[in-house]
Amino acid sequence: MLSLRPPHTTFPRTSPWLRWGRLGGAAAPHCLSAAAPALAPETAAGPGSVSFPILVNGCTGNMGLSVAEAAVRRGLHLVPVSFSSREKVKTTIQVGQTDIRIYGPSAREDVLSSVADEFPDVIVVDYTAPDSVNSNAELYCKLGLPFVMGTTGGNQQLLYKSVQDSKNYALISPQMGKQVVAFLAIMRIFAEQFPGAFSGYHLEVLESHQASKKDTSGTAKDVIASFEKLGVPYDMNRMVKIRDPDQQLEMVGVPKEHIEGHAFHLYHLTSPDDSVSFEFQHNVCGRSIYAEGTIDAAIFLHRKVQSKDSKRIYDMEDVLREGYMR
Ligand SMILES: NC(=O)C1=CN([C@@H]2O[C@H](COP(=O)(O)OP(=O)(O)OC[C@H]3O[C@@H](n4cnc5c(N)ncnc54)[C@H](OP(=O)(O)O)[C@@H]3O)[C@@H](O)[C@H]2O)C=CC1
Ligand SMILES: O=C(O)C1=N[C@H](C(=O)O)C[C@H](O)C1
């Protein structure tokens, strides 16, 4: 969403969400409280659709579970194993008709190695934790398991290097939601076409996520990279990260039912003399947009592996451009 205020309006340089809060939520983002309707299996797995094995790592977490459920809805074959960071976890999780067995870290390599033998066309999806990104990716690369990395954080340079060195296939993106992916692409193109167009402007970035989110929004970092090319330097430490549920309800305007799963982002630009301002927002409630996008990504990557495409590393812009996103 882009809003242009009339010139000669002085904006506060901090907390536009607080300003909205004071406006009684008039300009606050709107979220539907009902979850997005699930696709009927018969539609999802209709003629011409693909089916292949998919292993979702991180099924004990919110995204992992949502992706596993979406995989079943879309007619993919859910491999009945997943992993935890905890060694003593004796649990199974039921997704559709499948009981997923959760293994601890010490079993990871053996179990994944058996999966690679048993399901040679498997795609692994990773929704774990920022501090697992690199070690998990290294193992997938070592075993030649193509993977979709939805988990944010970690050492991104090292992540790309692991994939490059191993010649494994991977799709890496901090953002799987189709419309947000399109927004990120537009910002990238905007910056390429008009480098420095916002020189001298001042940028404020606010992001609000569920309290359990450990890292800074990877999506916001991506958008900021475009703003920097547009001429606006930004110190990541200045980003306002809201994790407190009371603030989210009162200041940000997150619907109560989405306090435990939301991603609200606000970018506010002001000209040097405060006479012009821009605001961009993308506000997501729930996780269905990411889960569906992740399945699109897995289908895309599966096709690339099967066709032995010479390109090995992809992002969601590739998926969007090739028309794979629903
Ligand atoms: N790309 C995208 O579009 C999106 C990305 N994300 C990212 O996905 C990640 C997960 O988010 P979310 O599901 O909300 O977080 P959760 O905390 O709900 O889930 C993460 C799960 O990962 C498990 N886990 C942690 N370390 C490991 C490990 N080494 N191996 C296996 N499992 C592990 C944890 O389980 P346990 O305690 O049992 O170890 C936990 O249940 C975050 O980085 C988030 O930023 C989220 C939404 C969209
Ligand atoms: O942890 C989340 O929830 C999300 N993480 C991703 C990110 O860090 O950019 C995507 C979205 O913001 C939801």
Side-chain angles (χ1 to χ4, degrees):
M1 185 188 304
L2 164 65
S3 76
L4 273 172
R5 300 270 175 153
H8 313 301
T9 309
T10 304
F11 286 94
R13 290 207 157 185
T14 52
S15 298
W17 272 338
L18 184 57
R19 176 161 49 84
W20 292 346
R22 285 187 182 137
L23 290 173
H30 173 71
C31 277
L32 293 174
S33 41
L39 289 162
E42 24 326 341
T43 314
S49 67
V50 283
S51 186
F52 55 86
I54 183 166
L55 185 155
V56 183
N57 193 1
C59 273
T60 56
N62 291 312
M63 272 310 300
L65 183 59
S66 300
V67 171
E69 289 169 347
V72 171
R73 282 200 300 276
R74 302 266 296 259
L76 302 186
H77 171 202
L78 195 55
V79 175
V81 298
S82 189
F83 302 92
S84 164
S85 62
R86 291 166 291 161
E87 204 54 77
K88 287 197 175 145
V89 59
K90 272 196 185 163
T91 182
T92 57
I93 291 176
Q94 191 176 3
V95 178
Q97 304 296 313
T98 310
D99 282 328
I100 300 178
R101 168 116 187 246
I102 311 295
Y103 290 91
S106 61
R108 245 176 16 141
E109 184 157 354
D110 283 351
V111 173
L112 278 176
S113 176
S114 307
V115 167
D117 290 343
E118 197 175 333
F119 304 101
D121 60 338
V122 70
I123 297 291
V124 175
V125 170
D126 192 295
Y127 275 105
T128 58
D131 61 4
S132 305
V133 165
N134 295 104
S135 56
N136 283 356
E138 268 164 35
L139 185 56
Y140 307 145
C141 290
K142 180 178 169 187
L143 300 173
L145 290 165
F147 68 93
V148 173
M149 181 58 76
T151 313
T152 50
N155 181 333
Q156 291 285 306
Q157 255 186 322
L158 187 59
L159 171 61
Y160 281 84
K161 188 176 181 318
S162 304
V163 184
Q164 264 153 9
D165 291 351
S166 67
K167 299 192 168 49
N168 194 17
Y169 283 89
L171 189 149
I172 302 165
S173 177
Q175 179 56 246
M176 301 287 177
K178 180 176 183 176
Q179 291 72 21
V180 189
V181 171
F183 172 69
L184 294 176
I186 287 295
M187 292 307 295
R188 187 186 58 71
I189 295 162
F190 187 17
E192 274 169 17
Q193 294 282 312
F194 305 108
F198 280 80
S199 289
Y201 272 61
H202 177 82
L203 175 65
E204 292 288 351
V205 182
L206 296 90
E207 58 99 325
S208 172
H209 286 80
Q210 60 280 352
S212 58
K213 182 167 175 64
K214 296 186 177 70
D215 59 337
T216 303
S217 166
T219 306
K221 288 182 189 164
D222 197 322
V223 175
I224 289 165
S226 294
F227 280 128
E228 288 190 320
K229 289 183 192 130
L230 284 161
V232 189
Y234 188 79
D235 173 0
M236 291 289 178
N237 295 319
R238 286 189 35 247
M239 198 185 308
V240 179
K241 287 180 272 182
I242 302 169
R243 298 287 181 270
D244 175 52
D246 290 335
Q247 281 189 322
Q248 292 170 341
L249 281 171
E250 286 155 25
M251 189 181 108
V252 184
V254 178
K256 200 172 174 193
E257 60 275 33
H258 294 298
I259 289 295
E260 290 188 5
H262 70 276
F264 280 30
H265 294 77
L266 171 70
Y267 314 87
H268 183 90
L269 286 153
T270 324
S271 64
D273 63 356
D274 272 347
S275 66
V276 183
S277 79
F278 285 73
E279 275 181 12
F280 300 83
Q281 290 181 55
H282 48 93
N283 301 321
V284 173
C285 291
R287 295 183 170 89
S288 57
I289 186 175
Y290 312 121
E292 294 300 334
T294 304
I295 301 302
D296 296 333
I299 292 171
F300 171 91
L301 191 64
H302 180 258
R303 293 242 168 111
K304 294 294 177 189
V305 176
Q306 294 308 306
S307 66
K308 299 188 170 54
D309 201 293
S310 57
K311 180 171 163 164
R312 301 288 167 126
I313 308 183
Y314 299 92
D315 61 23
M316 287 307 282
E317 205 179 315
D318 297 314
V319 185
L320 190 60
R321 281 190 189 284
E322 294 195 24
Y324 277 75
M325 293 199 81
R326 288 186 157 203

